[in-house]
Amino acid sequence: MIQKPKGTYDVFDREGKKILYLQKLFSSLMEKYNYEYVRTPVFEMSELFHRGVGDTTDIVTKETYDFIDRGGRGMTLRPEGTAGVVRSFIENKMYGRATQPVKVWYGETMYRYERPQSGRYREFYQLGVEVFGSTDPMIDAEVISIPVQFYQLLGLKGIKVHINSLGDKESRLAYKNALLEHFKPYLDTLCEDCKERYHKNPLRILDCKIDADKEIMKNAPKMQDYLNEESKTYYENVKKYLDSLGISYIETPNLVRGLDYYSHTVFEVEASVEGFGSQNVLCGGGRYDGLVEMLDGPSTPGVGFALGLERLLTALEFEKIDLLGESGIDIYVIPMDDTKEYTIRITNILRMNGFNVDTDMMNRNIKGNFKQADRLNAKYVMIIGSEELNSQILTIKDNKTQEEFKIKEENLIDFFDEKIEVEE
Ligand code: HAM
């Protein structure tokens, strides 16, 4: 038997329903914030991620799914959403729109060749946003508020928001030099990855899980001490707006994020319930003011975030939050005798009027059909036998109370409109 590739999973049954529910909730939240939906290709030219995500990141050096297409071009399955959306922003000249900033959202599968474990997959799904064109710290706060709002709507309680500032270019350079000086005498004691990070991107040493507990990590210089006035003010303003929104946060100086493109604000939301497991970062994001220009677009600031759907589902399960409740269909139609042509027509009319309807396709007997109606948790059962066909008066049963109704076909929709609330 052929099995699914390692690190992937199939979506079906209750999982499918939950995912659709979350996608729908996120999309309606995005309408409230006035973000527009975008979709970009699942594969892009490899160069986009090398330049966009960064050549020194784990994602690009160790985790991309690369292939050469039949035309000999180097392609990569997207490991994250930002680079593709930035490419699309530039290519479709969204910077020329009158309605700035450009605020977009996406929901896509991502691909990283990581070591699979609970909460870490090779194909996973992110919901995310990107905003282009604004340097107002208010937009950073808005972006941070979106996942927080989303988690709150879902009823998640055990979450913590971590924030930090990486400052502007000048501040980062000063900090980078301080880090180089600090780690230089201890270079031999660092792990192999950190030795490489020292030369390529010393900020990422702070992100290391292996060396995390070492004394030299704990007393490493803090970014905050190297922020110039402008960067400090920016960070203070972001925090001010978060305070106005009533969002509590933890300032985490070692938060640097695993992607190269960030400047100023970075943040992560973590599931802080005990026993959740090591993959507890539910979402992450930040500002990336140099990225559009680095990918050959006009100098344009950007900020965004992405949240992992799988980890969110685990968090919901962990906090025993049931998304689906008692779900079921509205009406189950049972054809008896030889009434299938009439049944298919009535079923269709009901569906077109907004009801969730199913009917028998397995030629069950009446007992089997009532059982099926129960399995589908149908609110009403409608029986169509030859008598109903001839009289066009339909027999309907409330599947809970067993109350029976005789309703003329022409009054059918009015009857159900009154009984069943149709979801928009
Ligand atoms: P990221 O931190 O790499 O950021 O990923 C965001 C979220 O995706 C993580 O917090 C996690 O929930 C989920 N995630 C990442 N890798 C995996 C995996 N292998 N399996 C399951 N879930 C995973 C980004 O991707 C940036 N593009 C976010 C961003 C948008 N920054 C600015 N704009």
Side-chain angles (χ1 to χ4, degrees):
M1 187 185 63
I2 301 169
Q3 294 185 328
K4 61 185 180 299
K6 202 173 155 184
T8 66
Y9 62 94
D10 300 315
V11 174
F12 56 94
D13 204 4
R14 284 179 66 80
E15 195 85 350
K17 283 188 186 152
K18 284 188 203 170
I19 287 177
L20 286 178
Y21 176 89
L22 292 172
Q23 287 170 332
K24 214 165 143 186
L25 186 69
F26 193 76
S27 122
S28 76
L29 187 65
M30 288 294 79
E31 251 176 71
K32 299 201 167 65
Y33 277 86
N34 191 31
Y35 282 57
E36 121 191 16
Y37 175 71
V38 294
R39 206 188 76 183
T40 60
V42 71
F43 59 93
E44 298 267 6
M45 305 291 278
S46 300
E47 192 193 343
L48 175 69
F49 301 113
H50 283 271
R51 278 168 59 193
V53 177
D55 266 336
T56 66
T57 58
D58 282 355
I59 295 178
V60 166
T61 52
K62 300 179 192 161
E63 296 167 4
T64 50
Y65 276 90
D66 302 310
F67 65 97
I68 305 288
D69 77 2
R70 289 175 196 272
R73 302 171 199 91
M75 297 290 175
T76 297
L77 298 186
R78 61 173 170 235
E80 58 100 52
T82 312
V85 173
V86 170
R87 190 228 9 94
S88 170
F89 171 82
I90 300 168
E91 198 166 339
N92 296 300
K93 298 191 174 54
M94 294 185 207
Y95 48 80
R97 286 183 181 177
T99 50
Q100 300 292 323
V102 173
K103 307 201 290 184
V104 301
W105 75 273
Y106 51 87
E108 314 271 25
T109 48
M110 307 291 160
Y111 301 84
R112 294 184 195 174
Y113 195 82
E114 294 195 84
R115 195 171 49 79
Q117 63 184 91
S118 162
R120 196 199 267 162
Y121 298 88
R122 289 184 174 170
E123 181 187 67
F124 58 99
Y125 190 92
Q126 281 185 347
L127 288 163
V129 312
E130 312 294 349
V131 179
F132 300 99
S134 172
T135 49
D136 190 331
M138 200 160 107
I139 196 73
D140 301 48
E142 175 174 298
V143 165
I144 296 172
S145 79
I146 293 171
V148 173
Q149 199 69 49
F150 187 50
Y151 297 145
Q152 271 171 7
L153 274 177
L154 291 165
L156 273 188
K157 292 200 173 62
I159 57 162
K160 279 189 182 146
V161 181
H162 294 272
I163 60 166
N164 190 23
S165 171
L166 302 180
D168 60 8
K169 231 183 189 167
E170 184 188 86
S171 309
R172 268 198 318 285
L173 189 67
Y175 183 51
K176 203 169 135 183
N177 288 334
L179 284 178
L180 288 176
E181 204 157 297
H182 173 78
F183 285 115
K184 199 172 178 184
Y186 309 103
L187 204 53
D188 287 347
T189 67
L190 294 177
C191 74
E192 285 313 305
D193 277 348
C194 279
K195 279 183 191 140
E196 220 179 300
R197 288 175 189 141
Y198 181 86
H199 297 289
K200 290 186 175 163
N201 186 356
L203 251 76
R204 299 249 10 257
I205 297 178
L206 302 173
D207 210 19
C208 180
K209 303 279 176 289
I210 303 169
D211 289 330
D213 292 330
K214 290 192 177 141
E215 213 42 43
I216 43 158
M217 294 290 258
K218 288 180 188 160
N219 57 28
K222 301 272 175 275
M223 182 75 227
Q224 263 51 55
D225 299 329
Y226 294 83
L227 292 180
N228 58 18
E229 279 314 306
E230 231 181 298
S231 302
K232 259 188 215 159
T233 310
Y234 196 89
Y235 189 37
E236 289 308 316
N237 281 330
V238 174
K239 288 190 280 182
K240 189 178 77 184
Y241 291 126
L242 287 176
D243 292 338
S244 314
L245 285 168
I247 293 175
S248 31
Y249 49 83
I250 302 162
E251 290 185 62
T252 308
N254 274 8
L255 180 66
V256 291
R257 309 262 309 124
L259 301 95
D260 275 355
Y261 46 60
Y262 293 110
S263 56
H264 289 290
T265 321
V266 284
F267 76 99
E268 282 181 355
V269 181
E270 141 196 289
S272 64
V273 192
E274 226 186 81
F276 187 80
S278 59
Q279 303 303 310
N280 65 344
V281 183
L282 300 180
C283 93
R287 181 162 275 283
Y288 47 86
D289 286 350
L291 185 59
V292 176
E293 205 174 355
M294 197 156 80
L295 292 173
D296 306 328
S299 169
T300 310
V303 54
F305 85 89
L307 67 87
L309 199 72
E310 297 77 8
R311 293 182 195 179
L312 171 57
L313 285 167
T314 311
L316 290 164
E317 236 164 71
F318 218 82
E319 294 198 23
K320 301 202 168 36
I321 295 168
D322 179 18
L323 294 182
L324 305 179
E326 231 189 68
S327 58
I329 62 167
D330 295 327
I331 307 153
Y332 184 71
V333 188
I334 303 178
M336 278 167 55
D337 314 323
D338 193 14
T339 60
K340 285 195 159 188
E341 282 164 59
Y342 185 62
T343 296
I344 198 169
R345 192 169 70 76
I346 290 289
T347 301
N348 190 48
I349 291 172
L350 289 169
R351 285 172 177 160
M352 291 309 104
N353 277 279
F355 300 105
N356 303 337
V357 191
D358 209 349
T359 185
D360 179 38
M361 299 281 176
M362 302 299 286
N363 296 315
R364 292 180 177 87
N365 61 23
I366 185 89
K367 208 172 141 202
N369 264 320
F370 268 100
K371 253 196 190 152
Q372 176 72 352
D374 286 344
R375 281 188 217 110
L376 298 176
N377 206 6
K379 291 189 187 92
Y380 290 88
V381 176
M382 193 157 92
I383 302 143
I384 304 182
S386 47
E387 204 184 304
E388 281 81 7
L389 178 69
N390 293 332
S391 64
Q392 310 224 318
I393 296 176
L394 299 149
T395 307
I396 297 161
K397 253 190 171 173
D398 182 317
N399 205 26
K400 246 196 194 129
T401 63
Q402 301 303 317
E403 192 182 349
E404 200 174 290
F405 307 88
K406 295 277 183 191
I407 306 292
K408 271 190 181 167
E409 189 196 315
E410 68 216 55
N411 298 331
L412 198 58
I413 301 303
D414 286 346
F415 171 80
F416 282 123
D417 269 345
E418 208 171 283
K419 296 277 183 198
I420 299 168
E421 205 176 304
V422 174
E423 258 182 58
E424 285 305 312

